[in-house]
Amino acid sequence: TQSMTNRQLAKAYEPGDVEPKWYRFWLDQDYFHADAAAPKTPFSIVLPPPNVTGSLHMGHALTGTIQDVLVRWRRMQACNALWLPGTDHAGIATQIMVERELLRSEGKTRHDLGREEFLRRVWAWKEKNGGRITEQLKALGLSLDWKRERFTMDEGLSFAVRECFVRLHEEGLIYRARRLINWCSRCQTALSDLEVAVKDETGSLWHIAYPVAGSDERLVVATTRPETMLGDTAVAVHPDDERYRHLIGKKVHLPLTDREIPVIGDAELVSMEFGTGAVKVTPGHDLNDFATGQRHGLEQRSILDLAGRIIAPAPERYCGLDVPAARTAVLADLEAGGLLVETKAHTIPLGRCDRCDTVVEPMLSMQWFVKTKPLAEPA
């Protein structure tokens, strides 16, 4: 009693003197480990796995604290409480990290190493750097069952993912379709909308004349992407626009090609007030045009390869050019043919890969999708 009376509490709380000691004690006593054979009522939470590439942020601390409160509460209620820890492989982000280090230290790309060696380097990087998050979770004092720690590319998890995929496919909830994706030609991968950083940038709005077939009339369209006209499959006007209503159903010559394409009326795509009131439709390289093409049964033409270079069925003289070079060549040929009517400064929303800042191209690709309607309706 006397020794307790004489002991002075520190004026300020020093977590380093308290928290690691008690966390080690909790782990030594196995307090966080759930016994699958226990007859108690089970209660389980899977930690949403943070990316192995980084470190925790305030959001992780908040949600981790909430989950910890719930798990500890159930544990104190004598439930068989399991809180499963793990990390996510974060494929593209990890790849970028390893590629940067490879270029900095050896001046090489992943293509120089080849697939097998590059994968070995990625796994080595994960083993070296992937433990930071685990240590941070422990520093927060979270009551995770570390004996069950998982990684999203563990063999067991990979098997479960494949099994789930097959079952959803058999139920018709997963299907394949040719759709437009966000494609980064530098990272050579499809990107989700969340991985595309869109911001307004200074560009141009070009007015291009499309000669009407069997007539001296010219239909002038406005576009910010003149190079993609090589893949046009229609020109759209507003069905209520008196200037162009008489052209709906007729055809125009697609400049720089030997093709004729139809004039369609579409109130969803076209604004009578924007540009000239007539727009080119390129279903293979624009999200809005793709939807328009589906409404009207238009052909989908892809005139860019995965490296971002022009390919057939574009005219041969443009094949092999990248997008900036193709734009320059197309504009020069239009001007030489007297079809470039006007060029205006214009601000455009431009999407860039949020990892390497490369301009993202909408590309046609056979992709897997989840049918969300029957899943969302009950909710």
Side-chain angles (χ1 to χ4, degrees), residues 114-370:
R115 182 181 183 88
E116 187 175 331
E117 175 60 17
F118 182 71
L119 282 174
R120 191 190 69 77
R121 299 286 187 100
V122 172
W123 279 106
W125 186 93
K126 182 261 178 185
E127 293 304 318
K128 178 182 177 183
N129 298 280
R132 177 171 171 76
I133 285 174
T134 297
E135 294 308 312
Q136 289 180 308
L137 292 170
K138 290 179 178 178
L140 286 170
L142 304 184
S143 59
L144 291 150
D145 189 346
W146 291 110
K147 291 185 176 180
R148 287 187 167 90
E149 183 177 6
R150 293 293 181 265
F151 178 57
T152 48
M153 291 189 75
D154 286 347
E155 185 176 344
L157 290 186
S158 295
F159 175 82
V161 167
R162 290 194 300 273
E163 177 61 28
C164 181
F165 189 98
V166 170
R167 290 186 190 184
L168 289 172
H169 183 264
E170 289 173 346
E171 293 173 22
L173 293 174
I174 284 183
Y175 64 97
R176 250 188 139 186
R178 196 166 183 247
R179 295 286 188 271
L180 278 188
I181 58 169
N182 301 309
W183 180 258
C184 176
S185 58
R186 187 265 170 209
C187 295
Q188 287 287 292
T189 190
L191 301 171
S192 73
D193 290 343
L194 293 176
E195 295 170 309
V196 178
V198 180
K199 60 181 180 180
D200 289 340
E201 299 189 21
T202 301
S204 297
L205 186 66
W206 288 275
H207 291 188
I208 303 168
Y210 286 48
V212 177
S215 165
D216 293 333
E217 194 173 355
R218 303 198 311 176
L219 182 55
V220 178
V221 306
T223 181
T224 60
R225 295 289 309 271
E227 68 282 357
T228 63
M229 69 179 295
L230 303 173
D232 284 0
T233 54
V235 171
V237 298
H238 197 286
D240 298 331
D241 196 331
E242 294 182 359
R243 296 172 295 175
Y244 307 124
R245 190 184 297 163
H246 67 287
L247 294 176
I248 296 175
K250 295 186 177 181
K251 293 195 172 183
V252 293
H253 294 291
L254 179 60
L256 312 181
T257 75
D258 58 1
R259 290 194 291 124
E260 289 186 352
I261 56 177
V263 179
I264 61 173
D266 193 286
E268 292 186 46
L269 179 69
V270 183
S271 166
M272 289 187 281
E273 291 75 32
F274 178 75
T276 64
V279 298
K280 57 195 276 315
V281 184
T282 320
H285 293 284
D286 181 273
L287 290 170
N288 292 324
D289 293 2
F290 179 84
T292 302
Q294 287 194 309
R295 288 194 294 272
H296 294 269
L298 299 176
E299 180 188 1
Q300 300 169 352
R301 287 196 167 213
S302 183
I303 51 96
L304 284 174
D305 66 11
L306 298 182
R309 298 185 179 276
I310 302 293
I311 56 170
E316 186 177 351
R317 63 184 177 279
Y318 302 109
C319 290
L321 299 178
D322 61 18
V323 168
R327 178 174 298 183
T328 300
V330 164
L331 290 172
D333 290 346
L334 288 171
E335 189 164 23
L339 298 173
L340 185 59
V341 177
E342 188 177 5
T343 302
K344 293 183 177 181
H346 184 66
T347 301
I348 57 174
L350 198 62
R352 292 181 178 272
C353 174
D354 70 350
R355 292 185 173 85
C356 70
D357 206 39
T358 299
V359 174
V360 171
E361 287 288 346
M363 296 281 278
L364 282 171
S365 176
M366 188 65 76
Q367 295 285 325
W368 290 101
F369 295 92
V370 177

